Amino acid sequence: LTVVALTSVFSVDFFDGVISNDISRAIGDNQKGVAKRLFHEVAFLKVGLGILSALALFLAANLVSGMYGKDIGSYVRIASLLVVIGALRSTADIFLRSVVSLRAMGASVIEDIVKLALVSGFFLVGELSISRVLVATLIGASAAFFYAGIGFFREYFVFLRGIDSTKEFLFKKVIRTYGKWVLFRAVIKRAAKPVKPWLIVAFLNVEAVAIYTLAASLVTMLKEFFPTTGSALLAFEANNSGRLKYIFSRGIKYSFFYGLALTALAFFFVPQFVGLFFTKYLPAMPLFFIFLISVPLHGIQTLETEILTAFREQKILTTRLMVEIGMDFGLFILLVPFIGVLAAG
């Protein structure tokens, strides 16, 4: 699975949101030929890179078998199939999100349910092993792709069947304009991610990293409960200022109150859960409470990101990210001598 994660670097997934947004805008503006051309270009790129990555993994399996044993080689071969399925599903998800289809979200649920059922079954019969876990992962990914694929073909026929695609090379244009900011932002995110733990070790100790990691992970899990439709719905309404204003204002209102309710529940119940099952991590709770302050604002921030994406303001999003990272690191260095690990919040 680590190998699959490494190959995702070559899958250009960081462009998925932008491409989905542009397809939505083209369909909303009744430029379906543009939408079809852009989707075909990205589909060819993503699936092509997926097949090449999978082929490289499959061929490398023989070398791995000679170095680490036949079992490891078979694991790599299974992983190569996961790469192809992942590329196909990612491509289908782009189009499903662009037409605001709920199947894009439901596919992940299907995958998790199938994997859980298979792994549980293997465990109950006493035959749980790495190979069986990988097989369960492969079957779960295949089930999710099949589920998403049904919705993809249905929606594709509804929106783009019989439409002649334009002749212009559109993806290259996206890269030259605002796409470069998407790429730059993805690089900054990946480069900045390990810096905070390093700073904590440098100014404090390894134990402080464990406290930070737990608190940050708990808040990240909370934020996953926020519902979102992505920028596609806003992109559909990009030329309807009245409708867009209504969606944005209602979205901010309900996201904030939903975040408050989620924060209140987490404030009372998460410490109880940690104290009951993970007593040694109770020192992470003060930092967790500081992180909780950001939860009511998360929905608003997400909505702002989506509307900026809908209007292709990638430069603003990149600038905002750089400011956030700079302030985060700067405030930590400034405050850590006074309040210790709490400065990581």
Side-chain angles (χ1 to χ4, degrees):
L1 297 181
T2 301
V3 173
V4 175
L6 289 174
T7 58
S8 67
V9 176
F10 305 101
S11 65
V12 295
D13 285 349
F14 39 82
F15 285 116
D16 288 3
V18 172
I19 298 302
S20 179
N21 177 76
D22 278 13
I23 293 173
S24 293
R25 290 203 62 166
I27 293 175
D29 294 341
N30 200 28
Q31 295 179 326
K32 293 186 177 181
V34 172
K36 189 172 186 177
R37 171 73 185 200
L38 182 58
F39 175 72
H40 285 177
E41 289 179 9
V42 175
F44 179 80
L45 176 64
K46 289 179 71 68
V47 175
L49 289 174
I51 292 174
L52 289 176
S53 299
L55 184 61
L57 279 178
F58 192 85
L59 294 176
N62 293 328
L63 178 62
V64 173
S65 296
M67 296 175 62
Y68 301 104
K70 292 183 179 180
D71 288 343
I72 304 299
S74 65
Y75 301 158
V76 174
R77 291 187 183 93
I78 296 175
S80 68
L81 297 176
L82 285 170
V83 172
V84 175
I85 293 172
L88 291 169
R89 180 181 157 194
S90 177
T91 302
D93 283 350
I94 288 176
F95 189 78
L96 290 173
R97 287 197 299 269
S98 69
V99 296
V100 200
S101 172
L102 295 180
R103 279 186 179 263
M105 294 182 286
S108 297
V109 178
I110 295 294
E111 181 177 10
D112 290 340
I113 290 175
V114 172
K115 284 195 297 186
L116 179 61
L118 290 173
V119 171
S120 299
F122 290 141
F123 178 77
L124 291 174
V125 297
E127 297 181 359
L128 189 62
S129 63
I130 295 176
S131 61
R132 285 183 169 82
V133 170
L134 285 173
V135 169
T137 302
L138 179 62
I139 295 175
S142 301
F145 170 64
F146 180 75
Y147 175 81
I150 295 174
F152 164 73
F153 284 111
R154 183 179 64 189
E155 300 292 352
Y156 185 89
F157 288 148
V158 169
F159 286 95
L160 299 181
R161 185 180 183 182
I163 300 295
D164 294 326
S165 60
T166 58
K167 305 301 181 182
E168 184 182 4
F169 188 36
L170 299 173
F171 187 64
K172 184 178 180 180
K173 183 179 178 181
V174 169
I175 298 297
R176 285 182 172 178
T177 52
Y178 48 89
K180 59 180 179 288
W181 293 107
V182 177
L183 178 60
F184 184 47
R185 191 165 71 251
V187 171
I188 292 174
K189 279 185 177 181
R190 295 192 180 188
K193 188 175 182 179
V195 174
K196 192 69 168 287
W198 291 344
L199 287 174
I200 294 174
V201 172
F203 284 92
L204 297 170
N205 49 52
V206 176
E207 289 75 14
V209 175
I211 291 174
Y212 164 77
T213 302
L214 177 63
S217 298
L218 288 172
V219 171
T220 299
M221 290 173 61
L222 282 176
K223 291 178 179 179
E224 292 294 328
F225 285 99
F226 275 85
T228 176
T229 58
S231 62
L233 178 60
L234 298 173
F236 267 126
E237 306 291 348
N239 294 322
N240 188 340
S241 58
R243 178 69 174 167
L244 195 62
K245 181 179 178 180
Y246 176 83
I247 294 173
F248 185 71
S249 60
R250 290 301 178 96
I252 287 180
K253 175 183 176 181
Y254 293 123
S255 292
F256 179 72
F257 286 113
Y258 178 80
L260 281 178
L262 199 60
T263 300
L265 289 172
F267 181 83
F268 288 107
F269 291 107
V270 170
Q272 303 299 324
F273 177 81
V274 173
L276 185 61
F277 295 101
F278 308 100
T279 307
K280 66 178 181 178
Y281 289 113
L282 277 175
M285 290 301 97
L287 182 57
F288 171 70
F289 293 146
I290 293 176
F291 276 130
L292 272 182
I293 298 173
S294 67
V295 174
L297 302 177
H298 176 70
I300 297 175
Q301 184 183 29
T302 301
L303 192 57
E304 288 176 346
T305 299
E306 290 173 353
I307 199 165
L308 287 171
T309 300
F311 284 99
R312 305 185 177 114
E313 296 291 351
Q314 296 298 325
K315 184 176 181 180
I316 295 177
L317 289 171
T318 303
T319 303
R320 187 181 75 175
L321 176 65
M322 295 175 65
V323 171
E324 288 175 352
I325 292 174
M327 290 183 63
D328 185 26
F329 294 163
L331 288 173
F332 173 78
I333 295 172
L334 181 65
L335 297 176
V336 69
F338 305 102
I339 58 177
V341 71
L342 296 181

